[in-house]
Amino acid sequence: MSRPFNFSPGPAAIPEPVLRQAAAEMLDWNGSGVSVMEMSHRGKDFMSIQAEAEANLRELLAVPPNYRVLFLQGGAIGQNAIVPMNLMRGRACADYVNTGEWSKRSMVQAAHYGRVHVAASAEANGFTAIPTQREWQLDRDAAYVHICANETIGGLEYHWTPDTGEVPLVADVSSNILSRPLDVCRFGLLYGGAQKNIGPAGLTLVIVRDDLLGGALPTTPEAFNYAVQAANNSMINTPPTFAIYVAGLVFRWIKEQGGLAAMQTRNRAKAALLYRALDAGRFYVNRIAHADRSLMNVTFHLADPKLDATFLEEAKAAGLLALKGHRIVGGMRASIYNAMPLEGVEALVTFMKDFEARHA
Ligand code: PMP
């Protein structure tokens, strides 16, 4: 059976070999006689699944030993509040860089826990370019500096790592983690929902530097207290076991593909192909500054929006799914995470050229 190409922004496509393995092991994981969904999170079978997942993730990202990997729940939206609960540590304010919808969502939550200082904002350019660090006005006393590493809705991505000196840098990496190598030690904390490049929704990944643990507000729920979860192997409560298992299969798959350097090479090639097609004429328009274009979420508009519905219908009929842009920005969005093969992008580009030839 050949499957359509799924350009969903998230929950997003999962590598087919991973889906096949999960299906094959659904009724009986490794001779245990039960599904991963049915086994105790504290039993040796699941403990081995989680340990392997963490070890492979650490290897892929070269996570230094003084960082803890936490497998939590509550999504990135949950982290928007959980980060300040844990990291304000008695300070009055946190710096936020506003590059779009997900940055804004983060700031709204953080404002419940302290003063949000907007160190820089892309609002003036219509969220089409990331403010360069020269334009940032950081507060030296801020508890941390928060960025959204890839704005999934707008299609804007950092291709550089900000320098925040002694102030910990916190990044929402929901939609670009594992798409390329990352220098973890430049960050105090990384967080993201799993449902794009990691695996099924329900798992939230946090990678946090040791020295940032232990200062949570006393009212922090224990399930969301990083120090408590770190001391309990992310098992102060039942973790999202099946999602962790599938994430572990995805980590293995990435390793088999050649790791994050190989992912980066592929992702660059896919994005270059698509942006080249968008830039080739006037029928399709991408509004993002070239240097800040996302390699994961390619947003574009048809010059004539009256054709939007036809474009989406015909794309679907051609086996190209979920290309509708987010309602806030409209137009189209092709999400081309790790699991999207080059052939999927080639098929999309072929379709787009054909559509233009028939409708221009
Ligand atoms: N941040 C970013 C960058 C996202 O792409 C998303 C989800 N699309 C979120 C936050 C929200 O994540 P969740 O739904 O896992 O809470």
Side-chain angles (χ1 to χ4, degrees):
M1 178 189 77
S2 119
R3 304 177 78 226
F5 292 113
N6 177 9
F7 293 90
S8 171
I14 288 185
E16 194 170 311
V18 168
L19 294 176
R20 290 190 185 285
Q21 183 168 349
E25 294 177 340
M26 187 60 76
L27 299 185
D28 177 10
W29 181 80
N30 200 28
S32 64
V34 297
S35 168
V36 174
M37 272 185 270
E38 303 171 302
M39 57 177 64
S40 164
H41 57 296
R42 300 192 191 281
K44 77 172 174 17
D45 284 342
F46 184 75
M47 297 285 263
S48 75
I49 289 170
Q50 178 162 320
E52 189 199 317
E54 178 175 342
N56 282 335
L57 178 68
R58 282 183 171 276
E59 185 182 329
L60 285 168
L61 280 167
V63 178
N66 63 323
Y67 283 74
R68 307 302 297 259
V69 171
L70 306 179
F71 294 121
L72 305 178
Q73 300 181 68
I77 292 292
Q79 289 302 316
N80 286 341
I82 297 164
V83 164
M85 276 184 200
N86 281 270
L87 294 198
M88 286 307 288
R89 294 162 297 143
R91 289 185 175 70
C93 108
D95 275 332
Y96 277 73
V97 177
N98 179 11
T99 48
E101 295 307 321
W102 293 114
S103 302
K104 290 190 233 170
R105 293 282 294 266
S106 296
M107 294 192 293
V108 168
Q109 292 297 306
H112 297 305
Y113 304 95
R115 189 165 63 81
V116 166
H117 173 244
V118 183
S121 174
E123 195 159 7
N125 65 45
F127 299 106
T128 57
I130 293 176
T132 60
Q133 189 155 357
R134 261 178 287 115
E135 301 163 73
W136 295 19
Q137 296 192 328
L138 295 174
D139 182 336
R140 208 174 308 156
D141 296 321
Y144 58 87
V145 180
H146 180 282
I147 62 167
C148 177
N150 182 61
E151 287 281 359
T152 321
I153 292 176
L156 204 63
E157 182 175 12
Y158 283 79
H159 297 290
W160 49 283
T161 305
D163 180 0
T164 55
E166 295 296 301
V167 181
L169 177 61
V170 172
D172 175 354
V173 289
S174 295
S175 52
N176 68 351
I177 189 166
L178 301 178
S179 66
R180 55 179 151 114
L182 185 72
D183 193 359
V184 173
C185 70
R186 302 281 302 276
F187 299 84
L189 186 146
L190 299 158
Y191 69 88
Q195 63 272 18
K196 290 112 170 36
N197 258 343
I198 295 176
L203 167 64
T204 312
L205 179 69
V206 172
I207 301 177
V208 56
R209 207 173 62 212
D210 269 346
D211 63 284
L212 297 174
L213 300 177
L217 288 174
T219 50
T220 304
E222 64 177 353
F224 297 143
N225 184 313
Y226 297 143
V228 173
Q229 286 286 21
N232 289 278
N233 195 26
S234 306
M235 290 201 192
I236 192 71
N237 59 330
T238 312
T241 52
F242 192 74
I244 292 170
Y245 154 71
V246 178
L249 298 180
V250 171
F251 301 154
R252 259 197 229 164
W253 176 82
I254 296 175
K255 275 180 65 176
E256 286 159 14
Q257 305 301 300
L260 299 190
M263 288 297 119
Q264 179 174 44
T265 304
R266 275 191 205 177
N267 288 329
R268 280 181 175 159
K270 289 183 298 183
L273 182 63
L274 192 42
Y275 284 116
R276 219 180 302 126
L278 293 173
D279 293 340
R282 299 219 175 117
F283 192 80
Y284 302 105
V285 185
N286 169 276
R287 299 181 179 147
I288 308 300
H290 282 227
D292 302 325
R293 285 172 157 186
S294 172
L295 300 195
M296 298 284 100
N297 309 98
V298 179
T299 52
F300 59 96
H301 285 75
L302 273 61
D304 178 1
K306 288 198 293 299
L307 289 171
D308 282 2
T310 316
F311 180 91
L312 289 166
E313 255 166 52
E314 290 191 12
K316 189 171 175 194
L320 307 166
L321 308 184
L323 286 162
K324 192 171 174 19
H326 193 280
R327 67 195 140 73
I328 293 174
V329 293
M332 308 296 154
R333 168 175 51 176
S335 295
I336 50 174
Y337 302 114
N338 287 345
M340 174 60 64
L342 180 64
E343 298 77 60
V345 179
E346 286 169 345
L348 174 59
V349 167
T350 303
F351 167 78
M352 287 167 67
K353 284 183 182 155
D354 176 61
F355 186 86
E356 179 175 352
R358 286 182 291 107
H359 294 277

